[in-house]
Amino acid sequence: MALTLDNKIILSWSDVDELIDKLCGRIFDELPLIDSVHGIPRGGLIPATLISHRLKLPYTNVIGKYTLVVDDICDSGVTLQNSPGVYTAVIHQKPETSCFTPSVWADLHLGDEWLIYPWERMDSKAIQGYLE
């Protein structure tokens, strides 16, 4: 279960595992033509790898017509808005702050807490330097 501390939500591997299962269900139901998976460097690499294994789809660095582009979160939306590809997926979608809506997501996050995934440092600032 996620831990909330200092306006941060710290997600466990178990939390991510449940969210990836939920996301894979949505991908399977809503995006049946997906034939490969690509992760946005840094935040999207691990979720994309997990999705690739669960859905038995190849991971690729070449984004094709039916490649699913994955990131961990759609916070401002700028990363995915500027990424190549038609189909996008995230673990968390923040509709109140994002200028972009991904094709599918596992969970909506309506709060202003900073989400820290298990592959990130626990002492991460509540806003990363590249977002300041």
Short mmCIF file of all heavy atoms in Angstrom, two decimals, residues 29-87:
data_model
loop_
_atom_site.label_atom_id
_atom_site.label_comp_id
_atom_site.label_asym_id
_atom_site.label_seq_id
_atom_site.Cartn_x
_atom_site.Cartn_y
_atom_site.Cartn_z
N ASP A 29 -8.24 -4.61 -23.78
CA ASP A 29 -9.63 -4.33 -24.15
C ASP A 29 -9.78 -3.17 -25.13
O ASP A 29 -10.61 -3.23 -26.04
CB ASP A 29 -10.48 -4.00 -22.91
CG ASP A 29 -10.69 -5.20 -22.01
OD1 ASP A 29 -10.51 -6.35 -22.47
OD2 ASP A 29 -11.04 -4.98 -20.83
N GLU A 30 -9.01 -2.10 -24.94
CA GLU A 30 -9.24 -0.86 -25.68
C GLU A 30 -8.29 -0.63 -26.86
O GLU A 30 -8.58 0.20 -27.73
CB GLU A 30 -9.17 0.32 -24.72
CG GLU A 30 -10.25 0.26 -23.64
CD GLU A 30 -10.14 1.36 -22.62
OE1 GLU A 30 -9.73 2.48 -22.98
OE2 GLU A 30 -10.47 1.09 -21.44
N LEU A 31 -7.15 -1.31 -26.86
CA LEU A 31 -6.16 -1.10 -27.93
C LEU A 31 -5.73 -2.44 -28.52
O LEU A 31 -4.55 -2.81 -28.46
CB LEU A 31 -4.95 -0.34 -27.37
CG LEU A 31 -5.22 1.01 -26.71
CD1 LEU A 31 -3.96 1.56 -26.07
CD2 LEU A 31 -5.80 1.99 -27.71
N PRO A 32 -6.66 -3.17 -29.14
CA PRO A 32 -6.33 -4.53 -29.60
C PRO A 32 -5.31 -4.61 -30.72
O PRO A 32 -4.75 -5.69 -30.95
CB PRO A 32 -7.69 -5.08 -30.05
CG PRO A 32 -8.48 -3.87 -30.42
CD PRO A 32 -8.02 -2.79 -29.47
N LEU A 33 -5.01 -3.52 -31.40
CA LEU A 33 -4.08 -3.57 -32.53
C LEU A 33 -2.61 -3.39 -32.11
O LEU A 33 -1.72 -3.53 -32.95
CB LEU A 33 -4.45 -2.50 -33.56
CG LEU A 33 -5.83 -2.65 -34.20
CD1 LEU A 33 -6.09 -1.48 -35.15
CD2 LEU A 33 -5.94 -3.97 -34.93
N ILE A 34 -2.36 -3.08 -30.83
CA ILE A 34 -0.99 -2.84 -30.38
C ILE A 34 -0.12 -4.06 -30.69
O ILE A 34 -0.48 -5.19 -30.35
CB ILE A 34 -0.98 -2.52 -28.87
CG1 ILE A 34 -1.72 -1.22 -28.59
CG2 ILE A 34 0.44 -2.48 -28.31
CD1 ILE A 34 -1.19 -0.01 -29.31
N ASP A 35 1.04 -3.83 -31.30
CA ASP A 35 1.92 -4.94 -31.65
C ASP A 35 3.32 -4.84 -31.04
O ASP A 35 4.14 -5.74 -31.20
CB ASP A 35 2.02 -5.11 -33.17
CG ASP A 35 2.63 -3.90 -33.88
OD1 ASP A 35 3.12 -2.96 -33.20
OD2 ASP A 35 2.64 -3.90 -35.12
N SER A 36 3.59 -3.73 -30.34
CA SER A 36 4.90 -3.56 -29.70
C SER A 36 4.78 -2.46 -28.65
O SER A 36 3.79 -1.74 -28.60
CB SER A 36 5.98 -3.20 -30.73
OG SER A 36 5.62 -2.03 -31.44
N VAL A 37 5.82 -2.37 -27.81
CA VAL A 37 5.81 -1.42 -26.69
C VAL A 37 7.12 -0.66 -26.67
O VAL A 37 8.19 -1.23 -26.89
CB VAL A 37 5.62 -2.17 -25.35
CG1 VAL A 37 5.61 -1.21 -24.18
CG2 VAL A 37 4.35 -3.00 -25.37
N HIS A 38 7.03 0.65 -26.36
CA HIS A 38 8.22 1.50 -26.22
C HIS A 38 8.06 2.32 -24.94
O HIS A 38 6.98 2.86 -24.68
CB HIS A 38 8.36 2.45 -27.42
CG HIS A 38 9.43 3.46 -27.24
ND1 HIS A 38 10.77 3.17 -27.43
CD2 HIS A 38 9.39 4.76 -26.83
CE1 HIS A 38 11.49 4.26 -27.18
NE2 HIS A 38 10.67 5.23 -26.81
N GLY A 39 9.12 2.46 -24.17
CA GLY A 39 9.09 3.26 -22.95
C GLY A 39 9.82 4.57 -23.11
O GLY A 39 10.94 4.61 -23.63
N ILE A 40 9.17 5.66 -22.66
CA ILE A 40 9.84 6.97 -22.64
C ILE A 40 11.02 6.85 -21.68
O ILE A 40 10.86 6.38 -20.55
CB ILE A 40 8.86 8.06 -22.15
CG1 ILE A 40 7.67 8.21 -23.10
CG2 ILE A 40 9.56 9.39 -21.93
CD1 ILE A 40 7.98 8.80 -24.44
N PRO A 41 12.23 7.25 -22.09
CA PRO A 41 13.39 7.13 -21.21
C PRO A 41 13.17 7.74 -19.83
O PRO A 41 12.54 8.78 -19.70
CB PRO A 41 14.48 7.88 -21.98
CG PRO A 41 14.09 7.70 -23.41
CD PRO A 41 12.59 7.78 -23.40
N ARG A 42 13.67 7.06 -18.87
CA ARG A 42 13.55 7.26 -17.43
C ARG A 42 12.25 6.68 -16.93
O ARG A 42 12.16 5.49 -16.67
CB ARG A 42 13.76 8.72 -17.03
CG ARG A 42 15.23 9.11 -17.15
CD ARG A 42 15.52 10.47 -16.66
NE ARG A 42 15.25 10.60 -15.23
CZ ARG A 42 15.76 11.52 -14.46
NH1 ARG A 42 16.57 12.41 -14.96
NH2 ARG A 42 15.47 11.59 -13.19
N GLY A 43 11.20 7.46 -16.82
CA GLY A 43 9.98 7.01 -16.17
C GLY A 43 9.23 5.89 -16.87
O GLY A 43 8.57 5.08 -16.23
N GLY A 44 9.31 5.82 -18.18
CA GLY A 44 8.52 4.84 -18.91
C GLY A 44 9.19 3.52 -19.19
O GLY A 44 8.54 2.56 -19.62
N LEU A 45 10.50 3.43 -18.97
CA LEU A 45 11.22 2.19 -19.33
C LEU A 45 10.75 0.98 -18.53
O LEU A 45 10.48 -0.07 -19.11
CB LEU A 45 12.73 2.39 -19.15
CG LEU A 45 13.39 3.31 -20.16
CD1 LEU A 45 14.84 3.56 -19.79
CD2 LEU A 45 13.27 2.74 -21.56
N ILE A 46 10.64 1.10 -17.24
CA ILE A 46 10.25 -0.05 -16.41
C ILE A 46 8.79 -0.42 -16.65
O ILE A 46 8.49 -1.60 -16.88
CB ILE A 46 10.59 0.19 -14.93
CG1 ILE A 46 12.12 0.21 -14.77
CG2 ILE A 46 9.96 -0.88 -14.04
CD1 ILE A 46 12.62 0.60 -13.41
N PRO A 47 7.85 0.55 -16.62
CA PRO A 47 6.47 0.16 -16.92
C PRO A 47 6.33 -0.49 -18.31
O PRO A 47 5.58 -1.46 -18.47
CB PRO A 47 5.70 1.48 -16.85
CG PRO A 47 6.52 2.36 -15.99
CD PRO A 47 7.94 1.96 -16.23
N ALA A 48 7.04 0.02 -19.30
CA ALA A 48 6.96 -0.56 -20.65
C ALA A 48 7.48 -1.99 -20.67
O ALA A 48 6.90 -2.86 -21.32
CB ALA A 48 7.73 0.30 -21.64
N THR A 49 8.55 -2.24 -19.94
CA THR A 49 9.10 -3.59 -19.87
C THR A 49 8.10 -4.53 -19.20
O THR A 49 7.87 -5.65 -19.67
CB THR A 49 10.44 -3.59 -19.11
OG1 THR A 49 11.36 -2.74 -19.81
CG2 THR A 49 11.02 -4.99 -19.01
N LEU A 50 7.49 -4.08 -18.10
CA LEU A 50 6.49 -4.91 -17.41
C LEU A 50 5.30 -5.20 -18.33
O LEU A 50 4.82 -6.34 -18.40
CB LEU A 50 6.02 -4.21 -16.14
CG LEU A 50 7.07 -4.02 -15.04
CD1 LEU A 50 6.53 -3.10 -13.95
CD2 LEU A 50 7.51 -5.35 -14.48
N ILE A 51 4.83 -4.19 -19.05
CA ILE A 51 3.72 -4.37 -19.99
C ILE A 51 4.11 -5.32 -21.11
O ILE A 51 3.34 -6.22 -21.49
CB ILE A 51 3.26 -3.00 -20.55
CG1 ILE A 51 2.60 -2.19 -19.43
CG2 ILE A 51 2.33 -3.18 -21.74
CD1 ILE A 51 2.41 -0.72 -19.78
N SER A 52 5.31 -5.15 -21.64
CA SER A 52 5.81 -6.01 -22.70
C SER A 52 5.79 -7.48 -22.28
O SER A 52 5.32 -8.34 -23.03
CB SER A 52 7.24 -5.58 -23.07
OG SER A 52 7.84 -6.51 -23.93
N HIS A 53 6.25 -7.76 -21.08
CA HIS A 53 6.26 -9.15 -20.58
C HIS A 53 4.84 -9.67 -20.36
O HIS A 53 4.52 -10.79 -20.76
CB HIS A 53 7.05 -9.26 -19.28
CG HIS A 53 8.52 -9.14 -19.47
ND1 HIS A 53 9.26 -10.04 -20.21
CD2 HIS A 53 9.41 -8.23 -19.02
CE1 HIS A 53 10.53 -9.69 -20.21
NE2 HIS A 53 10.65 -8.58 -19.50
N ARG A 54 4.00 -8.87 -19.71
CA ARG A 54 2.64 -9.32 -19.38
C ARG A 54 1.80 -9.57 -20.62
O ARG A 54 1.01 -10.51 -20.65
CB ARG A 54 1.95 -8.31 -18.49
CG ARG A 54 2.63 -8.21 -17.15
CD ARG A 54 1.69 -8.37 -15.98
NE ARG A 54 2.50 -8.38 -14.76
CZ ARG A 54 2.59 -7.38 -13.92
NH1 ARG A 54 1.87 -6.31 -14.08
NH2 ARG A 54 3.38 -7.47 -12.88
N LEU A 55 1.93 -8.71 -21.62
CA LEU A 55 1.12 -8.85 -22.83
C LEU A 55 1.82 -9.64 -23.93
O LEU A 55 1.28 -9.81 -25.02
CB LEU A 55 0.70 -7.47 -23.35
CG LEU A 55 -0.23 -6.68 -22.42
CD1 LEU A 55 -0.57 -5.32 -23.05
CD2 LEU A 55 -1.50 -7.46 -22.11
N LYS A 56 3.06 -10.10 -23.62
CA LYS A 56 3.85 -10.87 -24.58
C LYS A 56 4.02 -10.12 -25.92
O LYS A 56 3.87 -10.68 -27.00
CB LYS A 56 3.24 -12.25 -24.80
CG LYS A 56 3.24 -13.10 -23.52
CD LYS A 56 2.62 -14.43 -23.76
CE LYS A 56 2.73 -15.38 -22.60
NZ LYS A 56 2.41 -14.97 -21.30
N LEU A 57 4.35 -8.84 -25.77
CA LEU A 57 4.61 -7.99 -26.93
C LEU A 57 6.08 -7.61 -26.93
O LEU A 57 6.67 -7.42 -25.86
CB LEU A 57 3.77 -6.70 -26.85
CG LEU A 57 2.27 -6.87 -26.97
CD1 LEU A 57 1.57 -5.56 -26.63
CD2 LEU A 57 1.90 -7.32 -28.37
N PRO A 58 6.69 -7.47 -28.09
CA PRO A 58 8.10 -7.08 -28.12
C PRO A 58 8.31 -5.64 -27.67
O PRO A 58 7.48 -4.77 -27.94
CB PRO A 58 8.50 -7.25 -29.59
CG PRO A 58 7.22 -7.15 -30.35
CD PRO A 58 6.15 -7.68 -29.44
N TYR A 59 9.43 -5.42 -26.99
CA TYR A 59 9.85 -4.07 -26.66
C TYR A 59 10.65 -3.56 -27.86
O TYR A 59 11.46 -4.28 -28.42
CB TYR A 59 10.73 -4.06 -25.40
CG TYR A 59 11.11 -2.64 -25.03
CD1 TYR A 59 10.33 -1.90 -24.18
CD2 TYR A 59 12.24 -2.03 -25.59
CE1 TYR A 59 10.64 -0.58 -23.87
CE2 TYR A 59 12.56 -0.72 -25.30
CZ TYR A 59 11.76 0.00 -24.44
OH TYR A 59 12.06 1.30 -24.15
N THR A 60 10.41 -2.32 -28.25
CA THR A 60 11.10 -1.78 -29.42
C THR A 60 11.57 -0.36 -29.17
O THR A 60 10.99 0.37 -28.37
CB THR A 60 10.18 -1.81 -30.66
OG1 THR A 60 10.91 -1.35 -31.80
CG2 THR A 60 8.95 -0.92 -30.48
N ASN A 61 12.63 0.02 -29.87
CA ASN A 61 13.07 1.41 -29.87
C ASN A 61 12.63 2.12 -31.15
O ASN A 61 12.84 3.32 -31.29
CB ASN A 61 14.60 1.49 -29.73
CG ASN A 61 15.02 1.24 -28.30
OD1 ASN A 61 14.36 1.67 -27.36
ND2 ASN A 61 16.11 0.53 -28.13
N VAL A 62 12.04 1.36 -32.06
CA VAL A 62 11.53 1.92 -33.32
C VAL A 62 10.01 1.97 -33.20
O VAL A 62 9.35 0.95 -33.15
CB VAL A 62 11.95 1.06 -34.53
CG1 VAL A 62 11.38 1.63 -35.81
CG2 VAL A 62 13.47 0.95 -34.60
N ILE A 63 9.46 3.16 -33.15
CA ILE A 63 8.03 3.33 -32.93
C ILE A 63 7.29 3.23 -34.25
O ILE A 63 7.48 4.05 -35.15
CB ILE A 63 7.75 4.67 -32.23
CG1 ILE A 63 8.44 4.66 -30.86
CG2 ILE A 63 6.25 4.91 -32.09
CD1 ILE A 63 8.43 5.98 -30.15
N GLY A 64 6.48 2.17 -34.35
CA GLY A 64 5.70 1.93 -35.55
C GLY A 64 4.26 2.38 -35.40
O GLY A 64 3.87 2.98 -34.38
N LYS A 65 3.46 2.06 -36.39
CA LYS A 65 2.07 2.48 -36.44
C LYS A 65 1.26 1.99 -35.24
O LYS A 65 0.37 2.67 -34.75
CB LYS A 65 1.44 1.97 -37.75
CG LYS A 65 0.03 2.43 -37.99
CD LYS A 65 -0.46 1.99 -39.35
CE LYS A 65 -1.89 2.45 -39.59
NZ LYS A 65 -2.38 2.03 -40.90
N TYR A 66 1.57 0.78 -34.74
CA TYR A 66 0.81 0.19 -33.64
C TYR A 66 1.66 -0.03 -32.39
O TYR A 66 1.39 -0.91 -31.59
CB TYR A 66 0.17 -1.12 -34.09
CG TYR A 66 -0.82 -0.90 -35.20
CD1 TYR A 66 -0.55 -1.34 -36.49
CD2 TYR A 66 -2.01 -0.23 -34.98
CE1 TYR A 66 -1.45 -1.12 -37.52
CE2 TYR A 66 -2.92 0.00 -36.00
CZ TYR A 66 -2.63 -0.45 -37.27
OH TYR A 66 -3.53 -0.23 -38.28
N THR A 67 2.68 0.80 -32.23
CA THR A 67 3.51 0.73 -31.03
C THR A 67 2.85 1.54 -29.91
O THR A 67 2.41 2.66 -30.13
CB THR A 67 4.92 1.30 -31.30
OG1 THR A 67 5.54 0.54 -32.33
CG2 THR A 67 5.78 1.27 -30.04
N LEU A 68 2.81 0.96 -28.73
CA LEU A 68 2.29 1.65 -27.55
C LEU A 68 3.45 2.38 -26.87
O LEU A 68 4.44 1.76 -26.49
CB LEU A 68 1.68 0.65 -26.57
CG LEU A 68 1.07 1.23 -25.31
CD1 LEU A 68 -0.16 2.08 -25.65
CD2 LEU A 68 0.70 0.12 -24.34
N VAL A 69 3.34 3.69 -26.73
CA VAL A 69 4.36 4.51 -26.07
C VAL A 69 3.93 4.67 -24.61
O VAL A 69 2.83 5.13 -24.33
CB VAL A 69 4.52 5.87 -26.77
CG1 VAL A 69 5.53 6.74 -26.03
CG2 VAL A 69 4.94 5.67 -28.23
N VAL A 70 4.83 4.29 -23.69
CA VAL A 70 4.50 4.21 -22.27
C VAL A 70 5.34 5.19 -21.45
O VAL A 70 6.54 5.34 -21.68
CB VAL A 70 4.74 2.77 -21.74
CG1 VAL A 70 4.44 2.67 -20.25
CG2 VAL A 70 3.91 1.76 -22.53
N ASP A 71 4.69 5.82 -20.47
CA ASP A 71 5.38 6.63 -19.47
C ASP A 71 4.77 6.29 -18.12
O ASP A 71 3.71 5.67 -18.05
CB ASP A 71 5.27 8.12 -19.79
CG ASP A 71 6.44 8.93 -19.23
OD1 ASP A 71 7.28 8.37 -18.50
OD2 ASP A 71 6.50 10.14 -19.52
N ASP A 72 5.44 6.70 -17.04
CA ASP A 72 4.90 6.39 -15.72
C ASP A 72 3.70 7.27 -15.37
O ASP A 72 2.70 6.79 -14.86
CB ASP A 72 5.98 6.47 -14.62
CG ASP A 72 6.76 7.78 -14.61
OD1 ASP A 72 6.49 8.68 -15.44
OD2 ASP A 72 7.66 7.90 -13.77
N ILE A 73 3.80 8.56 -15.67
CA ILE A 73 2.76 9.50 -15.30
C ILE A 73 2.60 10.56 -16.38
O ILE A 73 3.57 10.94 -17.03
CB ILE A 73 3.06 10.16 -13.93
CG1 ILE A 73 1.88 10.99 -13.43
CG2 ILE A 73 4.35 10.96 -13.98
CD1 ILE A 73 2.01 11.41 -11.97
N CYS A 74 1.38 11.01 -16.55
CA CYS A 74 1.09 12.15 -17.43
C CYS A 74 0.71 13.29 -16.50
O CYS A 74 -0.44 13.43 -16.11
CB CYS A 74 -0.03 11.80 -18.40
SG CYS A 74 -0.29 13.04 -19.67
N ASP A 75 1.72 14.06 -16.09
CA ASP A 75 1.54 15.14 -15.12
C ASP A 75 1.26 16.45 -15.86
O ASP A 75 0.14 16.93 -15.90
CB ASP A 75 2.78 15.24 -14.24
CG ASP A 75 2.58 16.13 -13.02
OD1 ASP A 75 1.59 16.86 -12.96
OD2 ASP A 75 3.43 16.09 -12.13
N SER A 76 2.28 17.01 -16.49
CA SER A 76 2.04 18.21 -17.30
C SER A 76 1.50 17.81 -18.68
O SER A 76 0.79 18.57 -19.32
CB SER A 76 3.32 19.02 -17.48
OG SER A 76 4.22 18.33 -18.32
N GLY A 77 1.87 16.61 -19.12
CA GLY A 77 1.44 16.11 -20.43
C GLY A 77 2.39 16.44 -21.57
O GLY A 77 2.25 15.92 -22.67
N VAL A 78 3.36 17.28 -21.30
CA VAL A 78 4.25 17.76 -22.36
C VAL A 78 5.09 16.62 -22.96
O VAL A 78 5.26 16.54 -24.18
CB VAL A 78 5.15 18.91 -21.84
CG1 VAL A 78 6.20 19.30 -22.86
CG2 VAL A 78 4.30 20.10 -21.45
N THR A 79 5.60 15.72 -22.12
CA THR A 79 6.43 14.63 -22.64
C THR A 79 5.67 13.80 -23.65
O THR A 79 6.16 13.56 -24.76
CB THR A 79 6.92 13.74 -21.48
OG1 THR A 79 7.68 14.53 -20.57
CG2 THR A 79 7.78 12.60 -21.99
N LEU A 80 4.47 13.36 -23.29
CA LEU A 80 3.71 12.51 -24.22
C LEU A 80 3.16 13.31 -25.39
O LEU A 80 3.05 12.78 -26.51
CB LEU A 80 2.59 11.79 -23.48
CG LEU A 80 3.05 10.63 -22.62
CD1 LEU A 80 1.92 10.10 -21.76
CD2 LEU A 80 3.65 9.52 -23.47
N GLN A 81 2.83 14.55 -25.17
CA GLN A 81 2.34 15.38 -26.26
C GLN A 81 3.41 15.52 -27.35
O GLN A 81 3.09 15.58 -28.53
CB GLN A 81 1.95 16.77 -25.74
CG GLN A 81 1.34 17.67 -26.78
CD GLN A 81 0.94 19.02 -26.20
OE1 GLN A 81 1.70 19.62 -25.43
NE2 GLN A 81 -0.23 19.49 -26.53
N ASN A 82 4.67 15.54 -26.95
CA ASN A 82 5.78 15.69 -27.88
C ASN A 82 6.41 14.38 -28.32
O ASN A 82 7.39 14.38 -29.05
CB ASN A 82 6.86 16.59 -27.27
CG ASN A 82 6.36 18.01 -27.09
OD1 ASN A 82 5.58 18.51 -27.89
ND2 ASN A 82 6.79 18.66 -26.03
N SER A 83 5.86 13.26 -27.86
CA SER A 83 6.46 11.97 -28.21
C SER A 83 5.88 11.45 -29.53
O SER A 83 4.77 11.80 -29.90
CB SER A 83 6.21 10.95 -27.11
OG SER A 83 4.86 10.56 -27.10
N PRO A 84 6.67 10.63 -30.21
CA PRO A 84 6.15 10.04 -31.44
C PRO A 84 5.15 8.93 -31.09
O PRO A 84 5.10 8.46 -29.96
CB PRO A 84 7.40 9.46 -32.10
CG PRO A 84 8.33 9.21 -30.97
CD PRO A 84 8.03 10.25 -29.93
N GLY A 85 4.37 8.54 -32.03
CA GLY A 85 3.43 7.45 -31.84
C GLY A 85 2.01 7.94 -31.64
O GLY A 85 1.76 9.09 -31.26
N VAL A 86 1.08 7.06 -31.91
CA VAL A 86 -0.35 7.36 -31.83
C VAL A 86 -0.95 6.88 -30.52
O VAL A 86 -1.81 7.54 -29.96
CB VAL A 86 -1.08 6.71 -33.03
CG1 VAL A 86 -2.59 6.88 -32.92
CG2 VAL A 86 -0.56 7.27 -34.35
N TYR A 87 -0.48 5.73 -30.03
CA TYR A 87 -1.07 5.11 -28.85
C TYR A 87 -0.18 5.32 -27.64
O TYR A 87 1.03 5.07 -27.70
CB TYR A 87 -1.29 3.61 -29.10
CG TYR A 87 -2.20 3.37 -30.28
CD1 TYR A 87 -1.69 2.98 -31.51
CD2 TYR A 87 -3.57 3.56 -30.17
CE1 TYR A 87 -2.51 2.77 -32.60
CE2 TYR A 87 -4.42 3.35 -31.25
CZ TYR A 87 -3.88 2.95 -32.46
OH TYR A 87 -4.71 2.76 -33.52
#
